[in-house]
């Protein structure tokens, strides 16, 4: 498989799919440029080699072409500044002008294409309202045909293809997966960011040092069933925490007061516990909880046993005995995956458990464990507590990471390296 480090881009044009889907405020100013910074090593390497780059990304979910509130032109000055070159801009990603601009690129120059999703062909899904299923199916067929042309057009701009957009790796879109088939094996590769993400997933899912502990938190068990099921075939310890723990506690006959619970998932919780037993996985459940008399940072609080929560009270974080149990389990692990907080960490008074988990992961990592944090709120957690530098890897991909942990093959990865 080709790698970006080995590849010499001198005199070559590289089509680089990045994830510049950054948040903007009402004045179209970037409020968090991490995603742009994350792609810089790849873009800089290409320019430094004497290649030229065609930068391609989506932004938001535009409904038409063009939908200027999602124009990548808003971020052009900042991309130029960070990259240290005057990045040119093609106001339509797939017209003749874009092709001309790509052809005219000289070594060391960069061109950014307008938002790929201005074309419905990028996602391959027809937009608009349809009177019936037949009409929709017909529109879908046409979009799929057009998608082929669109993909060919994008591919025609470049000599090689680099995918550095892990955030969209779980999508089989034109620029994230389909385009790869227009380049031979030696001329397609992951960018540095994508390479790190793929490696981190591999270390967790296939090249695992044991014991392997996964910490699954967050609000609902229903949104994480597939992940838990897959992890039960991989891990040694599974810590179930956050709001979803109360579904397990209730299923086991505990009293959970007013804590959140999915009553239609009680059977499932018991099945998962059975499966864990059958697979020799240790399920680590909470012993005690920090309960509140309202869903508020300023509510009255007390510590009670997880399965003896009085009516009128709800568990919003774990208690000290649980913290100690979780920390002990984590510190004895050699591979750690963290997805989801132990409580309502957005409220300072209910963030202690998540902080303890984060700190235990940092300590385990110092002692040689590999730790991966990812999938939405746990990333916010490690950032809130200033712990991001102490873990092995913080994933940039929410949905993509979760699908990878579910055991699915991500089209963006498959398109480059096959399986
Ligand atoms: P998820 O998006 O499923 O990972 O859930 C993350 C959210 O779960 C965060 O916003 C937390 O505030 C919330 N959460 C965690 N623990 C609890 C709890 N005990 N009660 C209510 N919400 C919770």
């Amino acid at each position: 498989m080709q790698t970006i480090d080995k590849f010499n881009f001198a005199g070559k044009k590289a089509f680089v799919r990045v994830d510049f889907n950054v948040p903007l405020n009402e004045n179209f100013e970037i409020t968090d440029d991490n995603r742009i910074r994350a792609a810089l090593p790849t873009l800089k390497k290409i320019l430094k080699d004497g290649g030229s780059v065609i930068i391609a990304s989506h932004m938001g979910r535009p409904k038409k072409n063009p939908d200027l509130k999602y124009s990548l032109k808003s971020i052009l000055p900042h991309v130029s500044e960070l990259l240290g070159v005057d990045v040119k801009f093609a106001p339509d990603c797939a017209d003749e002008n874009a092709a001309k601009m790509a052809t005219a690129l000289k070594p060391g120059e960069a061109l950014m294409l307008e938002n790929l999703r201005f074309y419905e062909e990028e996602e391959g899904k027809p937009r608009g309202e349809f009177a019936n299923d037949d009409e929709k199916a017909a529109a879908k067929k046409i979009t799929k045909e057009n998608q082929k042309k669109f993909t060919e057009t994008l591919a025609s701009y470049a000599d090689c293809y680099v995918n550095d957009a892990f955030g969209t790796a779980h999508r089989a879109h034109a620029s994230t997966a389909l385009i790869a088939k227009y380049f031979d094996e030696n001329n397609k590769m992951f960018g540095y960011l994508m390479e790190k993400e793929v490696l981190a997933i591999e270390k967790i899912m296939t090249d695992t040092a044991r014991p392997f502990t996964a910490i699954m938190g967050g609000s609902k068990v229903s949104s994480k069933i597939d992940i838990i099921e897959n992890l039960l075939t991989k891990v040694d310890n599974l810590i179930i925490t956050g709001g979803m723990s109360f579904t397990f506690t209730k299923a086991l006959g505990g009293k959970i007061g007013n804590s959140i619970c999915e009553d239609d998932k009680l059977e499932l919780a018991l099945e998962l516990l059975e499966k864990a037993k059958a697979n020799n996985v240790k399920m680590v459940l909470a012993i005690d909880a920090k309960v509140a008399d309202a869903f508020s940072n300023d509510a009255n609080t007390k510590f009670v046993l997880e399965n003896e929560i009085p009516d009128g009270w709800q568990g919003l974080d774990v208690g000290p005995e649980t913290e100690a149990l979780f920390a002990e389990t984590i510190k004895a692990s050699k591979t750690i995956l963290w997805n989801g907080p132990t409580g309502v960490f957005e409220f300072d008074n209910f963030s202690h458990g998540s902080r303890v988990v984060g700190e235990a992961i940092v300590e385990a990592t110092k002692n040689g464990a590999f730790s991966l944090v990812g999938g939405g709120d746990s990333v916010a957690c490690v950032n809130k507590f200033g712990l991001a530098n102490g873990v092995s890897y913080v994933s940039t991909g929410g949905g993509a990471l979760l699908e990878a942990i579910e055991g699915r093959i991500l089209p963006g990865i498959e398109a480059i390296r096959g399986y």
Side-chain angles (χ1 to χ4, degrees):
M1 198 180 93
Q2 186 57 270
T3 66
I4 182 162
D5 234 14
K6 276 193 305 195
F7 197 85
N8 185 355
F9 289 90
K12 302 247 162 112
K13 293 192 172 82
F15 183 99
V16 187
R17 177 55 157 102
V18 293
D19 180 1
F20 283 0
N21 184 24
V22 291
L24 304 177
N25 64 17
E26 60 283 5
N27 300 319
F28 301 102
E29 292 156 349
I30 301 168
T31 54
D32 177 352
D33 68 357
N34 273 320
R35 285 184 169 161
I36 301 176
R37 289 179 187 277
L40 290 178
T42 292
L43 299 174
K44 285 189 171 170
K45 144 85 175 162
I46 297 167
L47 296 177
K48 194 166 159 243
D49 272 2
S52 47
V53 280
I54 296 135
I55 303 169
S57 179
H58 75 284
M59 180 184 271
R61 296 176 187 275
K63 295 273 178 292
K64 54 183 192 227
N65 180 13
D67 191 345
L68 289 177
K69 71 173 184 283
Y70 297 115
S71 173
L72 285 170
K73 195 154 192 191
S74 310
I75 71 167
L76 186 67
H78 195 58
V79 174
S80 292
E81 191 189 322
L82 290 177
L83 204 51
V85 298
D86 203 3
V87 180
K88 300 169 200 300
F89 188 70
D92 183 316
C93 67
D95 67 355
E96 271 179 29
N97 178 50
K100 265 192 216 146
M101 290 182 88
T103 306
L105 276 182
K106 297 195 189 64
E109 288 187 343
L111 166 69
M112 186 152 75
L113 304 176
E114 181 55 288
N115 193 342
L116 297 163
R117 286 196 192 163
F118 282 3
Y119 280 82
E120 62 184 15
E121 288 85 348
E122 164 65 359
E123 294 175 89
K125 276 193 297 203
R127 290 188 189 132
E129 305 280 310
F130 301 101
N132 53 49
D133 285 352
D134 287 349
E135 237 183 53
K136 193 171 175 188
K140 193 162 182 194
K141 193 160 170 260
I142 294 171
T143 311
K144 283 282 174 202
E145 280 161 20
N146 292 342
Q147 187 179 43
K148 188 163 180 276
K149 261 188 280 167
F150 176 75
T151 312
E152 275 168 14
T153 302
L154 297 182
S156 72
Y157 301 160
D159 307 302
C160 54
Y161 168 66
V162 182
N163 189 351
D164 214 14
F166 181 69
T168 49
H170 55 318
R171 309 279 182 221
H173 293 167
S175 70
T176 61
L178 306 183
I179 191 173
K181 75 163 186 277
Y182 296 92
F183 298 89
D184 69 39
E185 234 174 80
N186 291 321
N187 289 302
K188 57 185 165 194
M189 66 212 89
F190 298 135
Y192 287 117
L193 171 68
M194 184 93 166
E195 216 171 58
K196 275 195 283 183
E197 296 274 0
V198 172
L199 207 69
I201 292 170
E202 248 161 36
K203 276 189 95 98
I204 290 277
M205 303 304 279
T206 49
D207 186 18
T208 323
R210 299 204 172 266
F212 176 11
T213 297
I215 305 120
M216 297 302 298
S219 53
K220 289 182 173 172
V221 63
S222 54
S223 61
K224 306 212 168 152
I225 297 169
D226 291 344
I227 300 176
I228 294 176
E229 295 236 349
N230 193 39
L231 286 176
L232 285 177
T233 65
K234 310 258 178 213
V235 300
D236 301 292
N237 306 302
L238 182 57
I239 295 179
I240 298 280
T241 184
M244 75 163 94
S245 72
F246 301 106
T247 302
F248 286 83
T249 305
K250 185 165 176 183
L252 289 168
K255 280 180 57 197
I256 60 165
N258 296 26
S259 307
I260 57 169
C261 178
E262 290 172 280
D263 282 321
D264 59 337
K265 295 287 176 286
L266 298 176
E267 273 297 311
L268 172 81
L270 291 178
E271 276 166 33
L272 291 172
L273 290 169
E274 278 303 314
K275 224 175 242 179
K277 217 185 264 170
N279 290 1
N280 247 336
V281 172
K282 190 169 164 208
M283 280 287 216
V284 185
L285 302 175
I287 304 165
D288 54 354
K290 185 171 187 181
V291 296
D293 61 358
F295 188 80
S296 156
N297 188 47
D298 305 320
N300 294 309
T301 64
K302 57 183 177 179
F303 292 111
V304 298
L305 289 177
E306 163 94 0
N307 56 6
E308 287 182 15
I309 301 176
D311 287 342
W313 294 77
Q314 55 188 300
L316 295 187
D317 198 7
V318 292
E321 283 188 52
T322 307
E323 285 180 357
L325 172 69
F326 287 180
E328 187 194 343
T329 309
I330 291 165
K331 285 182 204 166
S333 305
K334 284 281 169 265
T335 301
I336 302 157
L337 168 69
W338 185 19
N339 171 260
T342 68
V344 184
F345 76 103
E346 298 92 334
F347 295 156
D348 285 344
N349 288 336
F350 302 98
S351 65
H352 197 265
S354 301
R355 180 190 287 276
V356 168
V357 163
E359 286 172 352
I361 295 174
V362 169
E363 197 176 321
T365 310
K366 258 192 216 139
N367 292 329
F370 180 82
S371 53
L372 171 59
V373 178
D377 278 320
S378 17
V379 176
C381 261
V382 290
N383 288 333
K384 176 171 171 152
F385 306 137
L387 300 174
N389 287 333
V391 302
S392 308
Y393 195 67
V394 179
S395 176
T396 58
L401 177 75
L402 296 182
E403 287 201 15
I405 311 171
E406 281 170 14
R408 294 191 205 201
I409 291 169
L410 306 188
I413 296 178
E414 192 182 22
I416 299 273
R417 70 165 188 200
Y419 268 89

